[in-house]
Amino acid sequence: MRRFPALEGLPPYVFAEINRLKAAAAAAGQDILDLGMGNPDLQPPRVVLEALSEAVEREDAHRYSDSRGILELRQAKARYYERRFGVKLDPETEIIATLGSKEGFATLARTITAPGDTALVPAPCYPIHAFAFIMASGAVTGLPAHPGDELLRAAEEAIRMAPRKPIAMVLNYPSNPLTVTADIEFYREAVAFAKKHDILLLSDLAYSEIYFGDTPPPSIFEVEGAKDIAVEFTSMSKTFSMAGWRLGFAAGAPHVIGAMAKVKSYLDYGGFEPMQHAAIRALDHSESAGADVRARYESRRDALIAGFADAGVDVPAPDATMFVWMPLPEDFEGGSVAFAEHALKTVGVAVSPGVGFGPSGEDHMRLALIADEDRLREAAGRLAGLYPAAAKPRIVSNG
Ligand SMILES: Cc1ncc(COP(=O)(O)O)c(C=O)c1O
């Protein structure tokens, strides 16, 4: 049979079997509590939907758009960066709209990767952080996913050992799946490190507005000079619950954004223009949208954690994101896919197996806060039943 090079290095999709079981259970009328995919169930802000309806009536609404995103949209993104982070970005040369940040990340990897190039990525990671390079005929080296000295030491060692210097390092804070956050001091060290080794930093800030403490996650561009070597990805999907709209952004180093713009000009014509107009409205309401979405996910997080606590399982509350990253029961014999199947079959809860985020996630599962509080409590109670009584207090860390 013909081999397709693009498939080389892509393992079987771990969620496929879970999805099959989920569909079968739903078809059989079973009530499945689905905490699998990070697919927001909340509604976008009303003003955004109104802006979409208005824009759809425009006579020029249905034509091809600009593959970089319309200028007004890039200007709205620049205003957001300035208000939120005190960072100035040039909408002409330093910002590009993407068809979701996932497409943006993949296009960037395709833009910067030559066959055999390596990137340094967190382990475990959101899958595209690794597979974007693999699909571009590159390779990846996994690094600790927690921000700190250990990560930078491992990166230093990876560079020292590599036959060819890595081209980029991926940072993702608040992180999926670990839910950990980074402070500006870490970014300062990472920027100094990247400059010393002349590698690009790719920061995925998809969860910029989903945090529960008093300190909002910083942008890497708050570090002086970061724009020389960093590109940062942001998304409309989580802050504004616009996941299906497929709209994100890449911003930063003008030579990289310019190169991406050229590649994208061959690939697409930009997103549907009414959506871009509505996204401008959303970005200009980022403070209220962010506050609303935080309140919702915080209350859901608390319900899930309380549900576990009531059943005697102590799970630390994550500081950010819409996920809980949780060790499997110690006595469970089998990996995370087997556990996910077991949870679905025995207690009707769908979870993401940790191995979906790389081999280092194998002894964990990820729960997404995509149901209301009652159902999350119910899901926690059911899952807690899979943790043997003696093992219940053993969960001490969610990283
Ligand atoms: C860390 C991270 N980056 C990017 C994305 C994808 O975002 P988008 O919908 O903008 O492609 C996700 C989605 O779950 C994510 O968790």
Side-chain angles (χ1 to χ4, degrees):
M1 203 163 56
R2 200 187 178 96
R3 280 173 53 243
F4 299 116
L7 299 188
E8 301 284 312
L10 295 185
Y13 187 55
V14 292
F15 300 108
E17 180 57 14
I18 312 285
N19 286 342
R20 199 189 58 73
L21 290 173
K22 216 159 60 180
Q30 204 184 336
D31 176 29
I32 300 294
L33 293 163
D34 187 355
L35 311 187
M37 192 180 175
N39 189 0
D41 60 317
L42 301 173
Q43 288 298 296
R46 176 96 325 249
V47 286
V48 178
L49 299 179
E50 284 162 9
L52 178 67
S53 314
E54 284 162 27
V56 105
E57 298 295 339
R58 289 163 64 139
E59 269 194 0
D60 60 355
H62 306 281
R63 311 191 66 190
Y64 290 131
S65 185
D66 179 335
S67 63
R68 294 176 304 160
I70 57 175
L71 178 61
E72 299 93 302
L73 176 63
R74 287 179 273 128
Q75 286 167 334
K77 188 78 217 184
R79 287 195 295 278
Y80 162 77
Y81 258 96
E82 182 146 24
R83 282 197 318 275
R84 168 71 165 80
F85 304 109
V87 165
K88 278 199 191 322
L89 291 170
D90 179 351
E92 281 291 359
T93 59
E94 295 177 337
I95 301 180
I96 186 168
T98 59
L99 308 178
S101 62
K102 184 167 151 182
E103 178 275 326
F105 194 90
T107 301
L108 181 134
R110 166 203 290 233
T111 304
I112 65 172
T113 308
D117 276 342
T118 308
L120 306 174
V121 305
C125 68
Y126 179 59
I128 200 68
H129 294 160
F131 288 110
F133 293 100
I134 292 167
M135 284 191 283
S137 303
V140 294
T141 302
L143 296 181
H146 283 87
D149 291 347
E150 197 198 330
L151 190 166
L152 294 179
R153 268 199 303 275
E156 187 90 49
E157 184 63 7
I159 290 174
R160 202 176 64 75
M161 300 298 286
R164 193 154 125 197
K165 194 176 69 179
I167 55 169
M169 178 157 85
V170 178
L171 302 175
N172 168 217
Y173 304 110
S175 71
N176 177 13
L178 258 56
T179 78
V180 295
T181 54
D183 60 17
I184 194 69
E185 195 42 51
F186 172 71
Y187 282 144
R188 218 168 263 131
E189 287 168 18
V191 168
F193 176 87
K195 288 197 166 186
K196 174 175 144 202
H197 291 288
D198 189 25
I199 61 172
L200 286 173
L201 283 182
L202 310 180
S203 162
D204 182 341
L205 191 54
Y207 298 97
S208 56
E209 307 309 323
I210 308 188
Y211 58 91
F212 309 119
D214 297 331
T215 320
S219 158
I220 199 155
F221 300 132
E222 291 175 50
V223 177
E224 184 80 35
K227 258 198 274 177
D228 302 340
I229 45 90
V231 171
E232 188 160 79
F233 296 86
T234 47
S235 170
M236 302 301 290
S237 298
K238 313 293 166 143
T239 307
F240 303 101
S241 305
M242 289 163 62
W245 297 40
R246 308 313 299 132
L247 187 55
F249 297 87
H255 67 292
V256 184
I257 298 297
M260 252 181 101
K262 183 164 182 185
V263 170
K264 273 178 76 65
S265 73
Y266 281 84
L267 289 175
D268 71 67
Y269 292 108
F272 183 43
E273 240 179 68
M275 166 186 90
Q276 298 187 50
H277 287 292
I280 295 170
R281 190 79 61 89
L283 287 168
D284 287 339
H285 284 80
S286 63
E287 286 77 9
S288 60
D292 288 350
V293 90
R294 277 193 291 284
R296 295 299 297 272
Y297 284 123
E298 184 166 12
S299 153
R300 289 174 170 201
R301 174 200 69 166
D302 292 347
L304 186 79
I305 301 296
F308 277 116
D310 290 350
V313 177
D314 180 20
V315 184
D319 295 335
T321 78
M322 52 188 291
F323 305 112
V324 170
W325 179 243
M326 210 172 141
L328 304 182
E330 232 161 41
D331 64 341
F332 184 74
E333 287 176 12
S336 57
V337 172
F339 183 80
E341 288 174 5
H342 178 60
L344 194 59
K345 282 185 191 150
T346 56
V347 295
V349 182
V351 306
S352 279
V355 74
F357 307 93
S360 58
E362 181 60 301
D363 55 356
H364 279 69
M365 64 173 163
R366 193 198 69 180
L367 310 177
L369 302 172
I370 50 161
D372 66 25
E373 285 79 355
D374 289 347
R375 287 181 72 78
L376 287 166
R377 260 182 190 274
E378 164 79 24
R382 291 194 202 174
L383 286 170
L386 304 178
Y387 285 77
K392 280 179 184 170
R394 83 170 189 91
I395 299 168
V396 289
S397 145
N398 69 343

